[in-house]
Amino acid sequence: MDHSSHVRLSPTELTPAVLEGATIYGADDHKVGKLDHMHGTGVGGKAIIDVGGFLGIGAKPVAVPLSDLEFMRDEDGDIHAVTTWTKDQLKDMPEHRD
């Protein structure tokens, strides 16, 4: 997917109401997971991403800094993010527990 024409979100749009459920694309531009929820916002915030599984079953939640994700809106208005993490790197992270 070519993200170059997608509109980057402004800092005021980086809220749970806007971001939760966003698809996350990894370093190889393949889908690596979905943003389940957030802990905090801004520089110190964490994104909890569900990685792996099928239709949400068996997915493993992992925490990454929000700053590792670049959120944008595509031509259809759908919110997604890109990161330098790969799916395998995320799967190797410790499971996040609330």
Side-chain angles (χ1 to χ4, degrees):
M1 175 184 297
D2 179 14
H3 302 283
S4 62
S5 64
H6 297 164
V7 178
R8 277 32 181 190
L9 298 186
S10 70
T12 59
E13 294 177 288
L14 302 179
T15 65
V18 172
L19 302 180
E20 288 177 358
T23 300
I24 310 298
Y25 293 93
D28 53 6
D29 206 35
H30 288 94
K31 180 180 170 184
V32 296
K34 283 215 175 271
L35 181 68
D36 183 65
H37 64 281
M38 298 165 46
H39 289 286
T41 58
V43 177
K46 296 279 186 193
I48 310 307
I49 301 172
D50 286 336
V51 180
F54 181 71
L55 299 175
I57 299 170
K60 174 184 170 182
V62 298
V64 300
L66 277 172
S67 59
D68 286 359
L69 302 169
E70 184 177 6
F71 289 96
M72 57 194 78
R73 182 177 285 109
D74 67 17
E75 51 278 340
D76 295 327
D78 294 328
I79 305 295
H80 62 282
V82 294
T83 184
T84 57
W85 294 96
T86 66
K87 191 171 199 169
D88 287 338
Q89 287 173 319
L90 292 171
K91 283 181 174 180
D92 287 343
M93 293 178 115
E95 183 173 351
H96 170 79
R97 297 187 189 272
D98 280 324

